[in-house]
Amino acid sequence: MNQLPTYLDYASTTPLDSRVLEAMIPIFLENYGNANSTTHLFGERAAMAVKESRQIIADAIQAQPEEIHFTSGATEAINLVLKGAFKSYGHQKPHIITSQTEHKAVLDTCAYLEEIGAEVTYLTVNSDGLIDLNELASSFRNDTLMVSIMAANNETGVLQDVQRIGEICKSKKVLFFSDATQAFGKIPIQVLEQSIDLLCFSAHKIYGPKGIGGLYVKKGIKLTPQIHGGGHEFGLRSGTLNVPGIVGMAKAIQLCLDELKETSVHLEKIRNEFEKEMEGAGKIKVNGKHAPRLPHFSNFQLLKEDSDAFLLRNRNKIAVAKGSACNSALIQPSHVLKAMGLSDQDAENSIRVTYGTMTEINPQHNNILKSF
Ligand SMILES: *Cc1c(COP(=O)(O)O)cnc(C)c1O
């Protein structure tokens, strides 16, 4: 086995774009100062790099630079939003609305908050994975603090109607947080236009480095910090800034947005051809097929083969996911697919294929088809 399998698990993480690496190298080797040590040129240069990166990321989502806060990734950002808002406002408004198909970072944090007094409503989804906006509207209470609904699902790629959800939350004067970790850099996100108050993202899902992410917090919202010490990031998140990571993330989002249209069109074509051919041959049934989806996602039930047998047979050919990576340590059928109405067995027999830029550079589409 000399040749690596074809990577088709871009939703779990992406390789680093070499242009991102190039942007990061001088920060490691030359401008390695602490961005808070501005008594000398090293620190000043680091601070300048952070400032420029913050501006790029803010511009990418229609935010102001001081509304962007860097964290170690989306999981930390999600913890900061939910716990930080509950700590600040939960004594008066302990009610949170979320959905059954959120990422575990949201669901596990909500479960923790329930232990310390929060009340959480988990919206159901239809068979295509979409929440019901009427159910959302009727779930609001006088003490509702926040609605936490993801932009794109990490298992199916299904896109919720963020714009409408934002409008509803705005009319109810309730905070709207969207976990946009999968959507960021893949579809346009405009926090003002879409009435989003809080939004998280992560670099390693968009060809940036692992261990860096961030949070948009609309001016005026007071989250209680979850990490203390030094008051970095406008007092919200202490700790020496990951300058190479920040610079890499800014470069990554810039590249994604520059190439967004081209990449989406290409990957959607590959995805649609794959699904058409496989469904035509009666080999798969696509999950979330009738909902709007991210263009590079395909999640489907295998109809003619057991998923474990499939994975074993193709282990050296293609790298795909069963359920989500975050759940795969647990032997449990996907909570997302079950919420969409799949039986344990159908959820168990589902596979996630996610395409990416390497699929584009090096089309191995025929190889992929032959694996099924
Ligand atoms: C990957 C992912 C996360 C977690 O992000 P990390 O930066 O790896 O902590 C959260 N939510 C969604 C939707 C994701 O896809």
Side-chain angles (χ1 to χ4, degrees):
M1 251 313 293
N2 296 320
Q3 212 182 339
L4 283 169
T6 302
Y7 190 71
L8 293 168
D9 199 14
Y10 286 82
S12 73
T13 195
T14 54
L16 197 76
D17 187 306
S18 60
R19 295 166 294 179
V20 170
L21 181 62
E22 268 169 42
M24 292 170 71
I25 287 173
I27 309 292
F28 283 115
L29 300 179
E30 292 154 34
N31 302 330
Y32 46 77
N34 185 320
N36 274 58
S37 306
T38 47
T39 50
H40 50 67
L41 195 62
F42 296 91
E44 271 173 17
R45 284 194 176 165
M48 186 52 70
V50 170
K51 190 175 177 210
E52 285 169 7
S53 302
R54 203 186 295 277
Q55 184 73 53
I56 290 169
I57 293 167
D59 289 345
I61 58 169
Q62 211 181 22
Q64 297 300 314
E66 61 278 11
E67 294 173 320
I68 302 296
H69 306 271
F70 298 115
T71 64
S72 64
T75 300
E76 188 196 325
I78 290 165
N79 273 263
L80 176 52
V81 168
L82 295 169
K83 293 177 186 169
F86 184 72
K87 184 84 179 160
S88 292
Y89 307 108
H91 50 287
Q92 281 177 330
K93 296 185 167 185
H95 181 231
I96 296 169
I97 301 171
T98 186
S99 83
Q100 293 178 351
T101 57
E102 295 295 306
H103 190 274
K104 286 287 179 181
V106 169
L107 293 177
D108 289 354
T109 306
C110 284
Y112 164 73
L113 290 176
E114 281 180 294
E115 284 172 20
I116 58 166
E119 290 166 42
V120 184
T121 299
Y122 297 91
L123 300 176
T124 58
V125 296
N126 67 13
S127 58
D128 278 308
L130 292 169
I131 64 162
D132 177 346
L133 296 179
N134 293 321
E135 189 190 351
L136 169 65
S138 61
S139 298
F140 286 91
R141 311 189 326 201
N142 290 333
D143 61 354
T144 303
L145 165 63
M146 182 185 291
V147 169
S148 171
I149 300 289
M150 67 202 323
N153 187 273
N154 52 295
E155 293 191 30
T156 58
V158 165
L159 296 164
Q160 301 294 344
D161 191 344
V162 168
Q163 176 104 27
R164 285 287 297 128
I165 297 169
E167 285 164 11
I168 294 169
C169 292
K170 196 172 181 178
S171 75
K172 304 272 183 185
K173 297 194 166 56
V174 164
L175 296 177
F176 176 33
F177 165 50
S178 190
D179 171 2
T181 315
Q182 288 293 339
F184 184 65
K186 310 288 165 62
I187 54 168
I189 294 171
Q190 303 277 281
V191 291
L192 293 182
E193 228 167 278
Q194 297 175 298
S195 309
I196 300 168
D197 299 308
L198 301 136
L199 179 122
C200 70
F201 46 88
S202 183
H204 77 93
K205 304 278 173 75
I206 57 165
Y207 309 93
K210 293 172 180 61
I212 183 75
L215 181 62
Y216 155 76
V217 183
K218 190 179 181 179
K219 215 169 290 172
I221 299 171
K222 294 268 171 291
L223 300 179
T224 301
Q226 298 300 302
I227 297 179
H228 299 91
H232 307 74
E233 291 304 275
F234 315 104
L236 189 56
R237 197 272 192 183
S238 290
T240 302
L241 290 181
N242 174 356
V243 185
I246 290 166
V247 168
M249 180 159 68
K251 184 72 183 176
I253 186 63
Q254 216 169 26
L255 292 170
C256 275
L257 294 182
D258 285 351
E259 294 162 12
L260 187 143
K261 182 115 208 184
E262 201 185 336
T263 310
S264 328
V265 167
H266 182 77
L267 297 183
E268 186 165 34
K269 186 163 176 276
I270 293 181
R271 190 270 308 274
N272 289 351
E273 275 174 15
F274 167 79
E275 289 186 349
K276 192 166 165 229
E277 184 156 344
M278 292 296 117
E279 282 203 317
K283 291 184 178 177
I284 67 167
K285 179 170 190 287
V286 177
N287 298 320
K289 186 176 175 174
H290 306 291
R293 284 181 291 159
L294 285 175
H296 61 296
F297 263 77
S298 188
N299 187 313
F300 48 85
Q301 300 162 45
L302 290 176
L303 301 178
K304 295 191 170 167
E305 188 174 8
D306 175 74
S307 62
D308 288 325
F310 172 84
L311 290 174
L312 195 64
R313 183 167 68 77
N314 289 299
R315 207 182 145 68
N316 296 330
K317 288 189 210 147
I318 52 171
V320 298
K322 181 170 153 168
S324 73
C326 317
N327 292 343
S328 60
L330 309 165
I331 312 165
Q332 265 177 5
S334 148
H335 70 283
V336 173
L337 299 178
K338 288 201 67 181
M340 290 163 70
L342 271 72
S343 67
D344 277 9
Q345 200 192 337
D346 288 346
E348 251 297 298
N349 226 32
S350 290
I351 298 275
R352 180 187 71 187
V353 170
T354 41
Y355 301 100
T357 53
M358 302 278 285
T359 325
E360 180 171 46
I361 294 160
N362 187 11
Q364 286 146 319
H365 192 211
N366 281 337
N367 249 347
I368 299 166
L369 291 177
K370 270 186 262 161
S371 305
F372 288 84

